[in-house]
Amino acid sequence: MPRRTEKTVGTQAPVMVEQLLLPLVRGAVLSKALLREFVTDRGLEAVRTIFAEEAAAIAGVKKRHRVDRTAHHWGYANAELTLGGRRVVLPRPRVRSTDGRELALPSVTRFSSRDPLTERVLEQILLGVSTRKYGRSLEPVGAPVRTRATSKSSVSRTFVRATRERVEAELGSSLESLDLAVLMLDGIVVKRQSVVVALGVDVHGGKHVLGLRLGSTENAVLCTELLQDLLKRGLKVSRPLLCVIDGGGGLRRALRDVLGDQALIQRCQVHKIRNVTEHLPKKAQFWVGSQMREAYRAVGAEAARRQLKRVVAWLDRNGHEDAAGSLREGLEETLTVLKLHLPNTLTRSLSTTNAIENLMSSIRRTTRRVSRWKNGSMTRRWVAMAVFEARRGFRRLKGHREMPLLIEVLDRLHRSEVAPAEDAA
């Protein structure tokens, strides 16, 4: 008899484990399917029972004589209910009054007024399920009932209608109740169309999607339209507003044109480092990037300015004029938050556009699933739905506990600007 070696035992162990586990897995899957089918059947049976009881309460029990009868049973008609992300067609009793009027069953009216199908369609599509595969993504009903509203065209119509209504309602809502301290603006290109998104941070550190605009380019006109729309919807600017941008010229001009001196502009330090190092060879990128990051981590704006000017001088001496010019351009606006002398955590959060960059990443992931774009309206709806989906995971800004210090500084700046104007008047 051959002797079993360690190698033989090692190769047989996975096979033995698989033979033991496969029956358990099959049993669990079968049990889940049977349980789902049982629950579905019992649920549909309960609905039929409710229909019958309500018809009997209105028209009385069938085949029983009643002198005070005010309604009669009148056969059956189909009723549609939502079950598991689809429409289920069930027969329901018809009831007519003695004068010939059709009487509605309370449960049918109640079930018809709710439309969880719309939310299910939105959820499935935003999670990446295509309209063609929507029906396959649903759990089987298990009962011999007629279903509908799972075809590609039906799902597409539901998605378009629901997204259009939701986008118009949310992006046109009033902003009067918001007390903002920070405004972040950023742009992204979706199928050769520029999309500019506005994100607000209130005085408690909560994040709010304020609006978006689509256009051919991320220019000042597009950004100006977005800001003017925010003001029309009631956005209050009672104090200077810290505006964090990536450094685009269109965003900056729009903020100056619409908000004027109330816009306290902070250019993203991460974007500035990226823009400068893109002009450098690889052997110089690491050193310049580390020097700039060290400068932005300085205690105050004066120390950061000295460090950045040393980097500019080094770039000029070594023949990197383009990188030096990029660093000079807007240098002071990258130090705006440092000049406010805020705590470190809040300073880091407000010195970059990271908070809105996460939102833009969600837009990229969601819109990447679309293979065929029809028009600008479709682009706007998909971008808006990606924004709403990302909003579900919003958390308060890092360092939100120090937000009262920021508000105090902004109020102090507002008072210092108002006093000279009053003296001049």
Side-chain angles (χ1 to χ4, degrees), residues 237 239-243 255-265 413-414 417:
V237 190
R239 66 172 72 88
L241 197 62
L242 180 61
C243 302
L255 288 169
R256 289 303 184 195
D257 292 342
V258 179
L259 300 180
D261 294 336
Q262 293 290 79
L264 198 62
I265 296 177
L413 291 174
H414 179 63
E417 292 175 357

Side-chain angles (χ1 to χ4, degrees), residues 132-379:
R132 293 182 182 275
K133 298 178 181 180
Y134 174 76
R136 291 167 52 188
S137 70
L138 303 178
E139 297 178 349
V141 175
V145 294
R146 186 159 62 93
T147 62
R148 69 176 197 87
T150 58
S151 64
K152 175 183 178 297
S153 58
S154 178
V155 173
S156 297
R157 287 194 298 269
T158 302
F159 182 75
V160 171
R161 184 187 69 252
T163 52
R164 183 182 293 118
E165 293 173 355
R166 185 172 176 183
V167 168
E168 295 303 324
E170 300 228 12
L171 296 184
S173 60
S174 174
L175 302 176
E176 294 180 357
S177 61
L178 286 180
D179 188 6
L180 294 185
V182 182
L183 175 65
M184 294 188 177
L185 297 173
D186 201 0
I188 186 176
V189 177
V190 179
K191 295 303 176 182
R192 288 174 285 186
Q193 279 196 306
S194 292
V195 181
V196 180
V197 180
L199 178 72
V201 181
D202 62 30
V203 294
H204 304 292
K207 301 173 186 175
H208 306 271
V209 178
L210 304 177
L212 59 88
R213 268 295 187 277
L214 268 72
S216 57
T217 58
E218 187 186 334
N219 53 23
V221 176
L222 184 65
C223 303
T224 301
E225 291 177 354
L226 173 58
L227 293 172
Q228 289 176 343
D229 178 66
L230 300 182
L231 295 178
K232 288 179 182 178
R233 290 162 53 196
L235 180 65
K236 295 184 297 185
V237 190
S238 57
R239 66 172 72 88
L241 197 62
L242 180 61
C243 302
V244 187
I245 60 176
D246 62 359
L251 295 176
R252 189 182 184 281
R253 286 195 299 274
L255 288 169
R256 289 303 184 195
D257 292 342
V258 179
L259 300 180
D261 294 336
Q262 293 290 79
L264 198 62
I265 296 177
Q266 165 68 41
R267 296 181 64 165
C268 177
Q269 296 172 354
V270 174
H271 280 83
K272 175 57 72 174
I273 295 173
R274 190 182 305 159
N275 293 338
V276 173
T277 54
E278 283 177 353
H279 296 286
L280 298 172
K282 288 187 177 180
K283 61 181 181 180
Q285 288 179 358
F286 176 78
W287 184 83
V288 172
S290 62
Q291 290 297 306
M292 293 181 66
R293 281 188 287 272
E294 182 180 346
Y296 289 136
R297 287 194 295 266
V299 177
E302 184 59 34
R305 188 182 298 109
R306 287 196 301 267
Q307 175 79 358
L308 293 175
K309 287 184 177 180
R310 284 196 291 267
V311 176
V312 170
W314 183 89
L315 292 172
D316 284 330
R317 286 195 307 270
N318 289 273
H320 303 300
E321 291 84 2
D322 292 339
S326 177
L327 180 53
R328 285 193 189 94
E329 192 272 326
L331 185 147
E332 287 299 322
E333 290 182 346
T334 63
L335 306 177
T336 301
V337 174
L338 283 174
K339 298 174 185 177
L340 302 181
H341 304 288
L342 300 173
N344 290 336
T345 303
L346 189 59
T347 297
R348 287 196 299 269
S349 297
L350 299 178
S351 298
T352 67
T353 56
N354 286 348
I356 196 171
E357 283 292 340
N358 293 333
L359 184 62
M360 309 311 278
S361 298
S362 176
I363 295 176
R364 293 187 187 94
R365 287 194 304 270
T366 303
T367 55
R368 195 182 298 131
R369 303 174 187 141
V370 182
S371 58
R372 182 169 173 266
W373 296 92
K374 294 182 179 180
N375 47 42
S377 175
M378 179 181 179
T379 305

Side-chain angles (χ1 to χ4, degrees), residues 5 7 12 68 84 101 135 217 242 256 274 371 383 406 410:
T5 62
K7 183 177 180 180
Q12 289 181 349
D68 57 344
R101 291 181 296 105
T217 58
L242 180 61
R256 289 303 184 195
R274 190 182 305 159
S371 58
V383 170
L406 173 63
L410 296 178

Side-chain angles (χ1 to χ4, degrees), residues 20-37:
L20 291 173
L21 290 180
L22 278 178
L24 297 177
V25 174
R26 293 194 188 99
V29 173
L30 181 60
S31 299
K32 180 181 179 181
L34 292 175
L35 178 60
R36 186 189 305 118
E37 183 176 352

Side-chain angles (χ1 to χ4, degrees), residues 77-113:
N78 288 330
E80 290 189 1
L81 310 176
T82 303
L83 178 66
R86 57 170 68 80
R87 292 287 187 183
V88 176
V89 181
L90 291 178
R92 52 108 181 154
R94 292 181 63 190
V95 180
R96 281 191 175 186
S97 63
T98 52
D99 57 359
R101 291 181 296 105
E102 187 83 15
L103 301 179
L105 301 181
S107 60
V108 174
T109 305
R110 186 168 61 254
F111 292 151
S112 300
S113 62

